[in-house]
Amino acid sequence: MRCRFVREIYHNKDNGFCIFVYHTEDADVPEAARDTRYKGKGARFTATGNGLPDTEATEAELTGNWVKNKYGLQLQVESYEEILPQTKEGIKGYLSSGMIKGIGPKLAELIVERFGTRTFDVLDNYPDSLLEIKGITRKKLDGILLSYQGSHAMRDLAAYLTPFKVTPKKIQKIYEEFGNAALDTVKNQPFALCRISGFGFLTVDEIAKANKGKPDDPMRIEGCIWYCMEQDMQEGHLYQDKQQLQKKAYGQLNKGYQREAVTEMAVYKVLYQLVKEGRMYYESGALYPANMYGYECNAAKNLVSLLTAEQEEQDIAFLLAEAQKELGISLSPKQEEGVRKAFRHPVSIITGGPGTGKTTVQKVLLYVHGKLGGGSVLLTAPTGRASRRMAESTGWQEAMTMHSALGLTSDEDSEETEGMLEADFIIADEFTMSDMRLSYIFFDHIRTGSRLVLVGDVDQLPSVGPGNVFRELVQCGVIPVTVLDTIFRQAEGSRIITNAKRMQENDAALDYGAGFSFIPAKSAEEAADKVQELYRASVDTFGMDRVQVLTPYRRTGAASVNALNERLWGMVNPKEEGKPEIRSGKRTFRLGDRIIHNKNKDQISNGDIGYIKNIYVDENGSELAELEFSDGRRVEYGSEELEMVEHAYATTVHKSQGSEYPMVILPWLPMFYKMLRRNIFYTAITRAGVQVAIIGSKRAVCTAIHNTECDRRNTRLGERVIKEYNRRLEEKGKLPGSGGYRQEAINL
């Protein structure tokens, strides 16, 4: 039935389900389905379905069945086809409707003025002709064509997938991967979707079952294996025990079947094939994804190559004394030891908690290196906030993110970046945050002969990505390590520093008072109320930039990131008539919103916090938001790019790594039982520079302090470093202790 969209009754943006009113002149509409209030020509009726056309700019041919429910007789749409307009006005309306990105009302008028009713023929067969239109560049044309060609295919794809609760963002990913063959691929080879990042096996399995796919299809088994492996990688593991992985996949594949649908042998055969093809690596009972195996092995080789490079030992005794005098500081014996090791060995590590003088050591390192005339310097850290803190605290003119230094513009960039790091002396701060992939690329691009110092707090949380690089390197015993454990006089008055030290010593008798307060709360709801109250008062007193709410959970309960952000957002930046808004997926952003960036992209780093400074519609009718971050860095994002940001009134403790805020508000409750660990609590309170306010339960605080279980991650980096180091010493005819450096493994 040919019809045209009239209005929306209901539209679920998350799953695509629609209830729309349409107009038709088709006489076959049953009387019971007709809107009796409409007295014009033809008939109006209600249709339901997924991803239905919602623009008056085109007609659509709807196919389906009339179904009676409590709301009356409605058309349940099974499929539809858009009918493109044939008149100049119709074409102009379609082009400017927003369905084709890059074309607004002005540009639509210019196009139709030039090509008239031939416009769609030109778009289909002679697209380069649009370059004749003023304002259309090659880049802009490519974007227009991508949107135009994909609009119909995308709608068909959405109509098929939204019943399976596939989000519009994921549908877009599928189309980008398979193009116009996407729908055919989904129907006939659904498990090919598993190779798309973020596309879960469970959803794919439901799609396959709907198409009556065989449960023992090797593609299904392979998809399940990768799903299980991905779950483990999200927990930080580089590999999985072969027997455990096989058992986990077997259980998942047979879930929901009354009898065994997939045998253990079938799982084993697929695992064997993956190893045979080199997509997985098997080693001593462990199964690695091929890329993770490569990162771990090569990171160890590259690091040991740096560690064993021949370098002239430099006597810095005089310069150590001179640096302290010139800089007006006094180093502890441990700090002096850290400086000496840095100039005695090509690679060294400095670790210590807050207030133990890591920054002071870095200042002395830079002073001594400069006096020695040792060449160029690179200061770097995994995040933008950490690198900027590094530059400010050391007084050095510049520090860079590791991504920027390596030429990686995003997290998805290939590790095959060009050139080496042009630096003779490299200090990498907050190295606990560096995962296996980033560490491998970093070590791979440091020139042999360069001097490298890794700095971090081993008691903090490990990296978000797979691996536990810093802890493994500290504990392996072949890299010189200096553990700073003295709190200096300038930090002694800080309850934050002294309490952090007590936590490290398993002492739960924290010192509460000015700068470190505790507010009791019996439930998540009560804690959320008190967080809101304290946040309002603190922002009024200190300013929004100086106050940050941290919490362990993103989604669970009233004291989670999502719930607290909703509360605080409505309080500090409420909806007002005339205040611009822009929507991205499930989120709505307003002018003035405080936001956090969740990916490394161009000059903006994962974890950077900023504000929405402007929301506007450009000349092509596209809605844009202007975001401003520290140092005046500004970017313009459309609604799709805004999926990389979220509100930042509250963030997770994990996301706060590498950051420092004058005041931290921390809900801490028994319901966080999975997260009540010392390293999480320690990381949270050490993000505060001046004040911490804990809201919740002292029992939960004690539980966390005494729970020393860290993230136990499947990684063999430390073992590989030891083996490679000993192999290099054997090649050089040196034994540990007779010329090469060797220390006992540090038990942390």
Side-chain angles (χ1 to χ4, degrees), residues 16 105 492 674:
E492 286 177 355
K674 289 184 179 179

Side-chain angles (χ1 to χ4, degrees), residues 349-388:
I349 295 174
I350 296 169
T351 183
T356 56
K358 297 189 296 294
T359 298
T360 301
V361 173
Q362 292 180 53
K363 289 179 180 178
V364 175
L365 289 172
L366 292 168
Y367 180 92
V368 173
H369 176 77
K371 289 294 182 178
L372 291 171
S376 57
V377 173
L378 170 64
L379 302 187
T380 187
T383 68
R385 289 180 68 84
S387 65
R388 284 186 291 278

